[in-house]
Amino acid sequence: MAGLVKETPLKEEMRSELLKGRTQQRFFSSEEGEALEQPFAHPVNFESEAELDATNLSAREINEKIRELMLQGMGSIRLKNPGAKHSLAVGILNRLNLTIEGSLGYFGLGLIDGPNVVVEGRVGWSCGENMMAGTVVIKKNAGSTFGAALRGGDLVCHGDVGSRTGIDQKGGTIIVGGKTGAFSGFMMQRGRMIILGDSGQNLGDSMYDGTIYVGGSIESLGVDAVEEELTKEDVSWLNRKLSLYGLETQINLNQIKKIVSGKQLWNYDSLEPSEKKLVL
Amino acid sequence: MTEKKNLKDIDHYLKSDGVDSEREKMIGQTIGYRYDVNLLPDYDRLTPFLAKYMEFMGWKDLNWLEDVHMGYEEGRAAVFDRNINGWVTVPPEIDLPDNQQDRDMIARELLIKFQMSETHPLVDLRKTYGKFI
């Protein structure tokens, strides 16, 4: 490392460089219309219903069939016999009511943007991974990394979930009706997580921002996760959100603990931004 | 330790570059977001367009829009569009309300209208690189 040390001082123009983080500049136009869906979305009707039996279909075939049904204008689809296959109902960028009669394997409902989904069984690892918008309700239990890197929307599990729930969460709301495992909210950046039961070890470890609400006991808090006082705005929002999923009576909202980032880890590399160019 | 910012003035980032603390001056950029990411929406201030959008999508609340806020960049009001990974500037002719809740509702409405329009960059990107219909 000794060879990397520069003895000459930094030039003034390099010291004053600002990081903007912007790759393009866009402006809202007053001529934008009032469309409610993206131009490439399939115009579906919630009243049009279809059933899809997944018994003898592969995951790829099931996902293609769902897209075909949306193309036909079907706004409500009932998927039967999913057989806990992996990667089902992924990449749906459309409004849609989807009911899954059974359980899903790994990475179900990933990368979705808009649909309202009900899973009547259980789900495996990483359900709702990178979800952008919509609602997902799991009636039973879920595996680990539930809602990993969630960007938006509501991801709800009425039962218990595994460890690392909402790891790297970047937005949206995760609701757990039961317990959650260790390292839930690990490296959370924004968004909200509501755990009505108990939480495992290291809750909110290294969280940068966002809020975690816990109704039960907390085995331990992670690095830089701290408790903050619950406000009346929190209680009002919690009541509103939980009532959407029939979970509002499960707990006394005033006893919920609110966990946020202590912001002690908000340290930027002292080499950034200009010096780095000299040593790399 | 991170210094607490004085965010009592709603126009703080419109009147200044937001580079306030010694640490921020040293690295030349703001530490943290330029708005309160944890601010919960006040549903009493919902605009008619947003109510219509929620009904159309089959949602009973703002869903992903709860995370959309009016932010500030280079002394101008702007909204971050995650689909293009960039800030979209609010036209200067729009009068900004004196509270963040109303500003956030305007930001949500502007963002939806922008994302749903034919001129959004995602439309061309999808035509060029989309894998399936």
Side-chain angles (χ1 to χ4, degrees):
Chain A
M1 293 296 285
L4 296 176
V5 177
K6 289 276 179 185
E7 292 179 357
T8 48
L10 294 172
K11 291 178 181 172
E12 185 55 38
E13 64 269 24
M14 298 190 79
R15 284 186 184 279
S16 60
E17 179 190 16
L18 297 181
L19 282 184
K20 298 293 182 191
R22 189 176 62 199
T23 54
Q24 55 187 317
Q25 188 164 25
R26 294 271 170 182
F27 295 87
F28 287 114
S29 164
S30 55
E31 294 170 6
E32 306 289 10
E34 299 213 342
L36 296 171
E37 58 187 346
Q38 287 160 319
F40 46 79
H42 304 310
V44 299
N45 180 359
F46 284 154
E47 305 300 318
S48 300
E49 296 178 16
E51 278 190 4
L52 175 60
D53 189 344
T55 308
N56 294 314
L57 299 176
S58 67
R60 180 184 289 267
E61 288 168 332
I62 295 165
N63 290 331
E64 283 174 352
K65 290 274 184 199
I66 291 172
R67 275 199 291 278
E68 283 171 19
L69 289 169
M70 288 192 298
L71 204 58
Q72 293 166 22
M74 299 297 171
S76 297
I77 299 174
R78 184 167 281 272
L79 181 67
K80 292 174 174 281
N81 305 308
K85 288 168 188 155
H86 303 319
S87 307
L88 289 194
V90 296
I92 299 173
L93 314 177
N94 221 81
R95 72 188 193 111
L96 174 75
N97 286 332
L98 176 65
T99 304
I100 297 174
E101 291 185 3
S103 299
L104 298 181
Y106 303 158
F107 291 92
L109 303 165
L111 297 158
I112 58 171
D113 192 356
N116 301 311
V117 187
V118 175
V119 179
E120 292 175 352
R122 300 183 296 271
V123 292
W125 292 351
S126 287
C127 176
E129 184 250 0
N130 261 301
M131 173 178 170
M132 299 289 281
T135 63
V136 171
V137 179
I138 313 298
K139 293 289 179 71
K140 294 182 180 173
N141 297 332
S144 293
T145 57
F146 184 65
L150 189 89
R151 298 292 301 263
D154 291 353
L155 181 61
V156 184
C157 176
H158 282 259
D160 298 334
V161 297
S163 60
R164 287 162 280 135
T165 302
I167 181 171
D168 201 20
Q169 184 177 350
K170 298 179 177 81
T173 305
I174 296 176
I175 303 175
V176 178
K179 295 182 291 188
T180 184
F183 281 95
S184 291
F186 180 52
M187 289 174 64
M188 182 178 191
Q189 290 165 46
R190 58 189 299 184
R192 298 147 301 278
M193 188 184 297
I194 309 169
I195 301 159
L196 295 180
D198 301 334
S199 102
Q201 293 177 347
N202 298 318
L203 179 73
D205 192 279
S206 306
M207 62 190 290
Y208 183 87
D209 221 316
T211 312
I212 305 176
Y213 301 98
V214 185
S217 64
I218 299 170
E219 195 167 337
S220 68
L221 288 175
V223 173
D224 209 24
V226 296
E227 189 167 345
E228 194 178 82
E229 199 174 333
L230 201 69
T231 65
K232 63 176 195 264
E233 287 81 16
D234 289 316
V235 174
S236 166
W237 179 83
L238 282 164
N239 187 45
R240 180 187 175 90
K241 187 63 93 176
L242 292 173
S243 66
L244 297 181
Y245 304 102
L247 292 166
E248 74 280 13
T249 56
Q250 198 162 313
I251 195 158
N252 180 354
L253 294 179
N254 290 309
Q255 290 179 352
I256 280 187
K257 292 177 272 295
K258 179 181 177 183
I259 309 300
V260 296
S261 168
K263 301 183 178 172
Q264 301 298 300
L265 298 177
W266 281 23
N267 294 311
Y268 281 47
D269 187 342
S270 60
L271 286 176
E272 284 194 60
S274 54
E275 297 100 320
K276 230 172 195 175
K277 289 182 180 172
L278 294 175
V279 297
L280 292 179
Chain B
M1 184 176 169
T2 308
E3 294 170 46
K4 273 252 178 187
K5 283 185 174 262
N6 175 22
L7 290 179
K8 283 177 186 166
D9 181 2
I10 190 172
D11 291 328
H12 178 72
Y13 290 110
L14 292 175
K15 293 174 183 166
S16 72
D17 59 8
V19 178
D20 304 319
S21 67
E22 287 306 311
R23 181 73 180 150
E24 287 175 325
K25 284 172 188 162
M26 183 192 198
I27 64 172
Q29 62 175 311
T30 312
I31 294 178
Y33 298 94
R34 293 187 185 198
Y35 51 88
D36 180 3
V37 297
N38 297 325
L39 183 65
L40 296 167
D42 180 353
Y43 281 89
D44 291 337
R45 297 168 189 268
L46 208 62
T47 66
F49 177 81
L50 289 172
K52 198 168 133 191
Y53 174 69
M54 283 160 49
E55 188 187 350
F56 179 75
M57 295 301 291
W59 301 333
K60 294 187 174 67
D61 65 7
L62 284 164
N63 199 266
W64 71 279
L65 291 170
E66 289 191 332
D67 289 305
V68 174
H69 304 273
M70 188 170 285
Y72 308 94
E73 193 188 46
E74 296 179 346
R76 289 178 297 198
V79 187
F80 190 79
D81 182 353
R82 63 188 189 182
N83 287 355
I84 61 170
N85 195 33
W87 290 92
V88 190
T89 308
V90 176
E93 61 267 25
I94 290 184
D95 286 332
L96 298 180
D98 62 359
N99 65 86
Q100 190 63 35
Q101 287 288 0
D102 282 331
R103 289 186 183 191
D104 287 352
M105 291 298 174
I106 289 173
R108 289 165 185 136
E109 187 168 327
L110 286 172
L111 185 60
I112 289 295
K113 288 176 176 173
F114 179 57
Q115 286 194 349
M116 305 306 160
S117 81
E118 290 279 357
T119 58
H120 191 272
L122 206 61
V123 175
D124 284 333
L125 279 172
R126 192 175 165 86
K127 277 180 196 160
T128 311
Y129 299 108
K131 277 188 174 177
F132 41 74
I133 48 169

Short mmCIF file of all heavy atoms in Angstrom, two decimals, chain A residues 207 212 214 218 221 224-230 255-262:
data_model
loop_
_atom_site.label_atom_id
_atom_site.label_comp_id
_atom_site.label_asym_id
_atom_site.label_seq_id
_atom_site.Cartn_x
_atom_site.Cartn_y
_atom_site.Cartn_z
N MET A 207 -28.74 -0.76 9.33
CA MET A 207 -29.77 -0.07 8.53
C MET A 207 -29.34 1.38 8.30
O MET A 207 -28.82 2.04 9.19
CB MET A 207 -31.16 -0.18 9.16
CG MET A 207 -31.34 0.43 10.51
SD MET A 207 -32.93 -0.01 11.28
CE MET A 207 -34.10 0.90 10.28
N ILE A 212 -38.70 0.24 11.32
CA ILE A 212 -39.16 -1.12 11.64
C ILE A 212 -40.06 -1.01 12.88
O ILE A 212 -39.65 -0.45 13.90
CB ILE A 212 -37.99 -2.08 11.93
CG1 ILE A 212 -37.01 -2.10 10.75
CG2 ILE A 212 -38.52 -3.49 12.21
CD1 ILE A 212 -35.77 -2.95 11.00
N VAL A 214 -42.17 -3.17 15.72
CA VAL A 214 -42.22 -4.52 16.27
C VAL A 214 -43.25 -4.59 17.40
O VAL A 214 -43.20 -3.81 18.35
CB VAL A 214 -40.83 -4.97 16.82
CG1 VAL A 214 -40.88 -6.42 17.26
CG2 VAL A 214 -39.76 -4.78 15.76
N ILE A 218 -37.94 -8.27 21.06
CA ILE A 218 -36.80 -8.20 20.13
C ILE A 218 -35.64 -8.92 20.79
O ILE A 218 -35.18 -8.51 21.87
CB ILE A 218 -36.42 -6.73 19.84
CG1 ILE A 218 -37.60 -6.00 19.18
CG2 ILE A 218 -35.19 -6.65 18.95
CD1 ILE A 218 -37.41 -4.48 19.07
N LEU A 221 -30.97 -6.03 19.04
CA LEU A 221 -30.88 -5.07 17.93
C LEU A 221 -29.51 -5.19 17.27
O LEU A 221 -28.52 -5.50 17.93
CB LEU A 221 -31.04 -3.63 18.46
CG LEU A 221 -32.44 -3.21 18.91
CD1 LEU A 221 -32.40 -1.82 19.51
CD2 LEU A 221 -33.43 -3.26 17.76
N ASP A 224 -26.17 -0.15 14.99
CA ASP A 224 -26.74 1.14 14.56
C ASP A 224 -28.27 1.15 14.48
O ASP A 224 -28.84 2.06 13.91
CB ASP A 224 -26.14 1.59 13.22
CG ASP A 224 -26.13 3.11 13.10
OD1 ASP A 224 -26.14 3.78 14.15
OD2 ASP A 224 -26.12 3.61 11.97
N ALA A 225 -28.95 0.14 15.00
CA ALA A 225 -30.41 0.18 15.07
C ALA A 225 -30.79 0.67 16.47
O ALA A 225 -30.28 0.16 17.47
CB ALA A 225 -31.00 -1.19 14.81
N VAL A 226 -31.64 1.69 16.54
CA VAL A 226 -32.00 2.27 17.83
C VAL A 226 -33.51 2.42 17.94
O VAL A 226 -34.21 2.50 16.93
CB VAL A 226 -31.34 3.67 18.04
CG1 VAL A 226 -29.83 3.55 18.08
CG2 VAL A 226 -31.76 4.63 16.94
N GLU A 227 -33.99 2.46 19.18
CA GLU A 227 -35.43 2.61 19.37
C GLU A 227 -35.79 4.10 19.42
O GLU A 227 -35.05 4.92 19.99
CB GLU A 227 -35.88 1.93 20.67
CG GLU A 227 -37.39 1.87 20.80
CD GLU A 227 -37.86 0.93 21.91
OE1 GLU A 227 -37.05 0.11 22.39
OE2 GLU A 227 -39.04 1.02 22.28
N GLU A 228 -36.91 4.45 18.81
CA GLU A 228 -37.38 5.83 18.80
C GLU A 228 -38.81 5.86 19.29
O GLU A 228 -39.53 4.87 19.20
CB GLU A 228 -37.29 6.38 17.36
CG GLU A 228 -37.44 7.88 17.27
CD GLU A 228 -37.30 8.35 15.81
OE1 GLU A 228 -38.30 8.29 15.08
OE2 GLU A 228 -36.21 8.79 15.44
N GLU A 229 -39.24 7.01 19.75
CA GLU A 229 -40.59 7.14 20.29
C GLU A 229 -41.64 7.06 19.17
O GLU A 229 -41.47 7.66 18.11
CB GLU A 229 -40.73 8.47 21.02
CG GLU A 229 -41.90 8.49 21.97
CD GLU A 229 -41.92 9.78 22.79
OE1 GLU A 229 -40.85 10.38 23.00
OE2 GLU A 229 -43.02 10.17 23.19
N LEU A 230 -42.70 6.32 19.43
CA LEU A 230 -43.79 6.19 18.47
C LEU A 230 -44.62 7.47 18.47
O LEU A 230 -44.94 8.01 19.52
CB LEU A 230 -44.67 5.00 18.91
CG LEU A 230 -45.55 4.33 17.87
CD1 LEU A 230 -44.72 3.58 16.84
CD2 LEU A 230 -46.51 3.36 18.56
N GLN A 255 -48.35 -0.12 21.96
CA GLN A 255 -47.22 -0.84 22.58
C GLN A 255 -46.16 -1.23 21.56
O GLN A 255 -45.17 -1.87 21.89
CB GLN A 255 -47.74 -2.08 23.30
CG GLN A 255 -48.54 -1.72 24.54
CD GLN A 255 -49.10 -2.94 25.26
OE1 GLN A 255 -49.00 -4.05 24.77
NE2 GLN A 255 -49.68 -2.72 26.43
N ILE A 256 -46.38 -0.87 20.35
CA ILE A 256 -45.42 -1.22 19.30
C ILE A 256 -44.12 -0.43 19.49
O ILE A 256 -44.14 0.74 19.84
CB ILE A 256 -46.03 -0.95 17.90
CG1 ILE A 256 -46.96 -2.12 17.54
CG2 ILE A 256 -44.97 -0.73 16.84
CD1 ILE A 256 -47.51 -2.09 16.15
N LYS A 257 -43.01 -1.14 19.28
CA LYS A 257 -41.70 -0.49 19.37
C LYS A 257 -41.26 -0.05 17.97
O LYS A 257 -41.46 -0.77 17.00
CB LYS A 257 -40.66 -1.47 19.96
CG LYS A 257 -40.93 -1.79 21.41
CD LYS A 257 -39.95 -2.79 21.97
CE LYS A 257 -40.39 -4.23 21.76
NZ LYS A 257 -41.61 -4.66 22.46
N LYS A 258 -40.70 1.13 17.91
CA LYS A 258 -40.28 1.70 16.62
C LYS A 258 -38.75 1.73 16.55
O LYS A 258 -38.10 2.34 17.40
CB LYS A 258 -40.85 3.12 16.50
CG LYS A 258 -40.47 3.83 15.22
CD LYS A 258 -41.08 5.24 15.23
CE LYS A 258 -40.68 6.04 14.01
NZ LYS A 258 -41.21 7.42 14.07
N ILE A 259 -38.20 1.07 15.55
CA ILE A 259 -36.75 0.99 15.41
C ILE A 259 -36.32 1.76 14.16
O ILE A 259 -36.89 1.58 13.08
CB ILE A 259 -36.29 -0.50 15.28
CG1 ILE A 259 -36.88 -1.35 16.41
CG2 ILE A 259 -34.78 -0.60 15.25
CD1 ILE A 259 -36.49 -0.93 17.81
N VAL A 260 -35.34 2.60 14.33
CA VAL A 260 -34.82 3.40 13.21
C VAL A 260 -33.29 3.33 13.19
O VAL A 260 -32.68 2.75 14.09
CB VAL A 260 -35.27 4.88 13.30
CG1 VAL A 260 -36.78 5.00 13.20
CG2 VAL A 260 -34.76 5.52 14.58
N SER A 261 -32.71 3.95 12.21
CA SER A 261 -31.25 3.98 12.12
C SER A 261 -30.68 5.02 13.08
O SER A 261 -31.19 6.13 13.17
CB SER A 261 -30.84 4.34 10.69
OG SER A 261 -29.46 4.62 10.64
N GLY A 262 -29.62 4.65 13.76
CA GLY A 262 -28.94 5.60 14.64
C GLY A 262 -28.07 6.57 13.84
O GLY A 262 -27.57 7.54 14.36
#
